[in-house]
Amino acid sequence: MTCSESWLERYVGGEQQEVWAEILDFASTSGENVRSNIHVQAIVREAMQRARKNVEVIIERLRNSGYEFVDPSSNGYVPHTPLVSPTDSSPRFAQWLSERVGPIPMTVTEWIVVVGDVNLVGNHPEWPERDMLTDALVVEFELRGYADRGPGWDAREDCESELQAWKDDVAEYGADNVGRFALPFAPDLYHKANVSGGAPYGVYL
């Protein structure tokens, strides 16, 4: 058994940090495209399955505590769904994203097809005030939790808009000043509380 063939077994057995370190070393020294390595793919899939389970546990515990998943930017604090599961179209979206702005990290691809869109923004009735700056967990790539955007709306529109804005900045200020394109996945802590803030959280590509 080669080192890579034992990764999944060791990862499940508790050696997560060691396995990730070996994968990073393998990626930097082997010259092999790790994206095509079935053992690396299995590790990333396992990690995202665990992430999905953890998100479900967090949501259940928050609900049991009386926490309300509501959108502070909507009139009357409209409830929203904290976890929108992937659909049959999610792999196609991930593929499009990779082709349009990629390559994107394998963890992003697997998050899209395994976990889905997560938005834990909300309030608790026992908090002293609404819209506290909790910086609640939000990881949304397909943005399917926003029914008010209307039928037929697609996250590709947001991605194309962000990409064009980045290109315009590069053309005006230069690539060295603007830096790499950041694929957004969440508003910053201020926007999550309906307060004007800064740029969204993103993954540099």
Side-chain angles (χ1 to χ4, degrees), residues 62-63 65-72 77-80 82 119-127 130:
L62 284 173
R63 278 184 172 142
S65 75
Y67 186 84
E68 302 168 341
F69 298 101
V70 291
D71 181 4
Y77 293 88
V78 175
H80 68 80
N119 185 338
L120 305 189
V121 170
N123 283 287
H124 196 283
E126 295 182 3
W127 286 353
R130 280 187 173 272

Side-chain angles (χ1 to χ4, degrees), residues 6-24:
S6 67
W7 277 340
L8 182 59
E9 180 181 350
R10 292 172 51 210
Y11 184 91
V12 173
E15 297 183 52
Q16 290 88 8
Q17 293 186 11
E18 293 85 353
V19 169
W20 280 122
E22 289 180 22
I23 290 175
L24 290 173

Side-chain angles (χ1 to χ4, degrees), residues 7-193:
W7 277 340
L8 182 59
E9 180 181 350
R10 292 172 51 210
Y11 184 91
V12 173
E15 297 183 52
Q16 290 88 8
Q17 293 186 11
E18 293 85 353
V19 169
W20 280 122
E22 289 180 22
I23 290 175
L24 290 173
D25 182 66
F26 173 77
S28 63
T29 61
S30 69
E32 179 182 335
N33 181 3
V34 295
R35 295 173 180 273
S36 61
N37 186 292
I38 60 173
H39 307 294
V40 175
Q41 293 170 359
I43 292 296
V44 178
R45 176 60 61 95
E46 173 68 20
M48 293 305 101
Q49 289 172 341
R50 291 178 176 219
R52 166 82 187 211
K53 292 178 181 177
N54 288 338
V55 166
E56 291 172 342
V57 168
I58 293 170
I59 291 173
E60 180 181 9
R61 291 180 179 177
L62 284 173
R63 278 184 172 142
N64 291 340
S65 75
Y67 186 84
E68 302 168 341
F69 298 101
V70 291
D71 181 4
S73 66
S74 58
N75 186 24
Y77 293 88
V78 175
H80 68 80
T81 304
L83 174 60
V84 182
S85 297
T87 66
D88 292 340
S89 65
S90 295
R92 292 194 295 273
F93 175 78
Q95 180 63 30
W96 174 87
L97 199 59
S98 182
E99 294 172 351
R100 190 70 184 88
V101 299
I104 59 177
M106 296 173 69
T107 47
V108 171
T109 300
E110 289 300 306
W111 184 282
I112 292 171
V113 302
V114 174
V115 182
D117 286 337
V118 178
N119 185 338
L120 305 189
V121 170
N123 283 287
H124 196 283
E126 295 182 3
W127 286 353
E129 61 185 56
R130 280 187 173 272
D131 304 339
M132 295 179 65
L133 296 178
T134 62
D135 202 9
L137 175 67
V138 176
V139 182
E140 301 175 301
F141 292 103
E142 289 195 86
L143 301 171
R144 289 184 294 105
Y146 300 90
D148 59 341
R149 301 202 185 213
W153 180 86
D154 194 299
R156 291 171 176 82
E157 296 178 22
D158 267 29
C159 182
E160 291 286 6
S161 177
E162 292 285 345
L163 184 60
Q164 187 58 52
W166 174 78
K167 289 181 178 180
D168 292 343
D169 286 344
V170 169
E172 183 173 356
Y173 304 109
D176 290 340
N177 292 321
V178 175
R180 294 172 291 168
F181 174 68
L183 176 66
F185 64 84
D188 72 347
L189 78 162
Y190 295 103
H191 279 105
K192 290 175 183 178

